[in-house]
Structures are given as structure tokens and as C-alpha cells.
Amino acid sequence: MEIGSLLTMAKEEIKSASSNNGIVVNGENNLSKVLHMSSGSGESSYAQNSSRRSSAFESTQPRYIANCRLGCANGMNTVSEVDFVVTTIKKLCSKRGLTVPQLQVFFNDLPCTDFNGLFMLLNSLKPDYMAAGVPGSFYQALSTHGTIHICFSIMALHWLSQIPEDVGNESCVYKRGKIWINGGRAQVVRAYAEQSQKDLRGFFRWRGEEKSKGGVMFICAMGRPNGVSAEQQVTSEGEYCGPDFEAAWDDLISEGIVKAETRDSFNLPWYFPNAHEMREAVEASGAFEIVKLEVCSGVCCMGEREYEGWVSDVESFGKKKARLVRSFVGSLVEHSIGVEGCNALFERMERKSTQMLEKGVLHPSRFISCIVAALIRK
């Protein structure tokens, strides 16, 4: 079967569906040498704490196909997402009476990612496609020109390639007293917004060069609704790295375990764009036709029964919340304050999460806002 026929079918389906500066390594502000999701299968591993991403993907998945997975991390979620793609291809071919083509899937993530764990999982599942790992930042080139037909990225584009250069020193954009920009000073937020736009433009420029003409791309990314200021990155207290995480840092400082300057130099490399910012980056590349690009508010990332269990058992909530946050930022914390310091931080976070939920300071939500985009290479 010609790949062109498959892409034509995919495009038809898409259109019908759419009716720190503390992170410095060898003198470089380069997250790619430090950042990775927690590996293995332990209680604080990403594999055991990534069900929310899977739920959000299931809530937003239209009928798209792909053969390149950007920001794959590790664990069953990644394999399930690719299985969805492969199943969609088979259905398209069956509907048209065509033979399913041989599929090659490229899994991409940063070099520190636990690719071995992913490959061991794939080996045990014996999928009906060829698999390969592509280590590297997706803000850079990953493949030769015109070779990728279809790709998708799920819950990854909020990660920045680096902390903005002006953040983390004694300039006017110094981020004193905070570990993230949510609710932060306007100058700091603006620096993050500029870095996000630079990264997104690079992402779409490189994908435009790598994708074949007529190739398709699906994106589901953390985002914020239009009209919500960049200072308010999330609208629900207690989600992600909220006041409980910051309070845990305060405890380490008051106990003399770390200095305030160490906390101030720790910067979460996240920025949640709105649809306008994402559209600007796509259009700047000049490479893609936008079939769909919108913010979906109220995306369910946790079932109602699971959510009730999550918030009703206060002590269990603290443990689960600390494990969740550690699964995706633990590597950055360890780089900043070491393994023992990291253990101490998340022990305090577990306690703070429990206390804040009891006092009504935290208001966990099972809904998030996502940017969903379907693009076709011109």
C-alpha cells in the first residue's frame, strides 16, 4: 500500500473529525542533560503515576494516526497511545479494503529517559510494528528531511528547553521566594512566555522540515484558556506543584536543611500557553495547515470514582500527591539538592498536602485545560 494513500485517508479523517538557572550542567543552561521522568516501576516512578496523562489523551483523542511519538517518557501509557494509532490505521485500511502497511514507530524523548524500560516492555508485548528510540530534545532536529509521515505529542510541550537566561540571577526578573511562575511577578512570567514562544517556533520549524508533504500531526498539550493571564498558569489550587510543594521548600529552609538561595535558584521549566500563543508559533513556521487548534477546558484527567478516593482519604492523598509530583520533577530536585535533600523535600510535601487538604487550603480538581491541534504539512 502506498503511504500517500494512507496519508490521504488520514487527512480526510482529520477534517471530518474537526467539522534552574539552577539547572546548569558543565556551564550550560541545558535541561536535556538532567531532566527525565522517574524510571523503573516503583511507587514514585512515572510509570506508576501517569494515569492522568492517559485519561486526558482518551478524553481528547479524535481519529488521528501517527508514526512518530514525541515526548514518549516510559511505561504503558506510551504503548497504549501508539496502539491507538496502529488500531486506527488498521480500521482505515479495512474500511477502504487496503492492506495494512508495515509500520515503523520512533519513540523520542530526552537522552536521560529510561529507554531500556520502554524497550523491555515492548519486547514483552511484541507489537505488530517496528520500534526505535530517538534520544534528543524535540526542540531540535530529530530526523532527516521529509521522512516522517505522521507524529503526535501528548502532554509534553509545556516543558521548556531551558530556564530563561535572565531568570535565576539578581536581575529584575529574579524569581525570589518561588519555584514556579504560577502567581509570580510579571517580569518573570514574561521571560518564560518569551522562552516558550522561542521553543514552540523551533519545534514547528524542525517538524516542518522533517515531515513529508501532506504528513499529519496531532498535539495534546497542557494549556490555559484564552483570556486567562499568563501569571495564572493553572486555575485549580493544589494541582501540579502548588502551595504544598512550595511550603515543603519553606520547611527545608526553616529547618536549616537548604538555604533560601537554593530554593530561589530552583526553577520549574514549565509554561502553559494559550491557543493564541500556540497558533502564533505554528503560523511562524509557515509549514502547516491548521485543521484544528483550540483550548479544551474541563478535560477529565481522573475518573469520578478515582477522584473521590483521591480526596476522601486525607493521609493517602498526601502520599499519592507527593509521589505524583516526584515522578516528573524528582530528577530536577535531586540535581538541585541531592538525593537525601529530595527525600526530605517530598516527605515534607506529603505532610503539607495532607494538612492543606484537611484545612481546605487545597482544592484538587479532576479537570485540566488542554490545547488540541491537528496539523497537515503543506
Side-chain angles (χ1 to χ4, degrees):
M1 175 186 175
E2 292 290 335
I3 191 66
S5 299
L6 183 59
L7 291 176
T8 299
M9 292 157 51
K11 287 186 283 186
E12 291 174 1
E13 292 291 319
I14 287 176
K15 290 184 175 180
S16 67
S18 67
S19 70
N20 87 29
N21 268 14
I23 309 300
V24 176
V25 182
N26 296 329
E28 298 180 17
N29 183 354
N30 194 335
L31 288 169
S32 67
K33 297 179 180 178
V34 176
L35 175 63
H36 61 86
M37 303 299 101
S38 295
S39 59
S41 57
E43 62 182 20
S44 295
S45 67
Y46 183 76
Q48 296 297 322
N49 291 276
S50 55
S51 61
R52 293 186 173 199
R53 190 192 79 179
S54 178
S55 296
F57 175 66
E58 290 174 2
S59 298
T60 59
Q61 61 180 222
R63 293 170 291 167
Y64 302 134
I65 62 174
N67 70 345
C68 181
R69 173 68 169 89
L70 303 174
C72 66
N74 55 69
M76 198 62 207
N77 275 354
T78 289
V79 177
S80 298
E81 291 161 4
V82 173
D83 284 346
F84 162 74
V85 169
V86 172
T87 299
T88 302
I89 292 175
K90 290 180 177 179
K91 288 180 179 179
L92 286 170
C93 292
S94 177
K95 186 165 63 174
R96 302 296 178 87
L98 300 171
T99 302
V100 178
Q102 187 176 21
L103 301 174
Q104 171 77 62
V105 177
F106 297 97
F107 294 92
N108 157 255
D109 214 315
L110 295 175
C112 293
T113 296
D114 182 17
F115 282 102
N116 284 338
L118 174 62
F119 293 149
M120 289 175 66
L121 176 61
L122 289 169
N123 185 62
S124 67
L125 296 173
K126 302 188 184 309
D128 51 357
Y129 54 80
M130 306 298 290
V134 181
S137 170
F138 51 48
Y139 294 124
Q140 301 173 350
L142 296 172
S143 181
T144 52
H145 290 196
T147 56
I148 300 298
H149 299 102
I150 314 143
C151 67
F152 68 110
S153 176
I154 308 297
M155 301 303 180
L157 285 175
H158 62 286
W159 288 97
L160 302 178
S161 66
Q162 65 173 53
I163 303 301
E165 292 182 0
D166 290 338
V167 176
N169 53 45
E170 295 295 336
S171 70
C172 64
V173 293
Y174 187 57
K175 186 187 56 51
R176 189 183 304 279
K178 295 187 69 63
I179 48 83
W180 189 28
I181 63 170
N182 191 48
R185 297 169 56 208
Q187 299 98 318
V188 180
V189 176
R190 189 177 305 116
Y192 271 69
E194 291 173 355
Q195 182 64 51
S196 173
Q197 187 63 205
K198 178 181 177 182
D199 286 342
L200 289 174
R201 290 185 180 215
F203 174 86
F204 290 113
R205 178 172 67 86
W206 286 116
R207 302 298 80 77
E209 292 189 9
E210 294 164 352
K211 291 185 68 59
S212 61
K213 184 176 181 180
V216 298
M217 177 157 60
F218 171 62
I219 292 170
C220 179
M222 294 299 302
R224 69 182 197 281
N226 292 323
V228 174
S229 69
E231 286 84 355
Q232 190 62 47
Q233 289 283 291
V234 292
T235 55
S236 298
E237 284 187 320
E239 290 303 289
Y240 312 106
C241 297
D244 45 357
F245 187 54
E246 292 193 334
W249 281 95
D250 292 339
D251 279 0
L252 293 188
I253 294 169
S254 64
E255 294 170 29
I257 296 176
V258 302
K259 296 181 179 180
E261 292 80 6
T262 302
R263 185 267 316 279
D264 294 344
S265 69
F266 180 85
N267 301 279
L268 281 177
W270 292 349
Y271 183 83
F272 297 175
N274 60 25
H276 175 72
E277 291 169 318
M278 185 72 77
R279 183 177 293 271
E280 275 191 340
V282 175
E283 293 177 343
S285 73
F288 294 96
E289 172 192 351
I290 298 176
V291 178
K292 175 192 287 265
L293 198 162
E294 63 185 19
V295 173
C296 296
S297 299
V299 174
C300 181
C301 63
M302 183 183 293
E304 186 172 359
R305 181 175 297 180
E306 182 184 0
Y307 173 75
E308 291 300 328
W310 172 260
V311 297
S312 62
D313 187 335
V314 177
E315 185 174 345
S316 175
F317 172 84
K319 292 179 180 179
K320 291 179 179 178
K321 179 69 183 299
R323 291 172 187 170
L324 171 68
V325 174
R326 185 168 189 167
S327 72
F328 49 80
V329 301
S331 63
L332 302 182
V333 175
E334 287 187 12
H335 179 75
S336 178
I337 59 176
V339 175
E340 292 303 316
C342 182
N343 291 338
L345 177 70
F346 286 104
E347 287 172 1
R348 272 94 180 146
M349 183 183 175
E350 179 181 326
R351 185 165 62 244
K352 289 296 183 182
S353 297
T354 296
Q355 294 171 350
M356 289 183 172
L357 184 67
E358 286 180 319
K359 294 177 180 179
V361 177
L362 292 182
H363 306 283
S365 174
R366 66 189 186 96
F367 300 101
I368 58 176
S369 294
C370 297
I371 295 178
V372 176
L375 313 173
I376 297 176
R377 182 66 170 90
K378 295 179 180 177

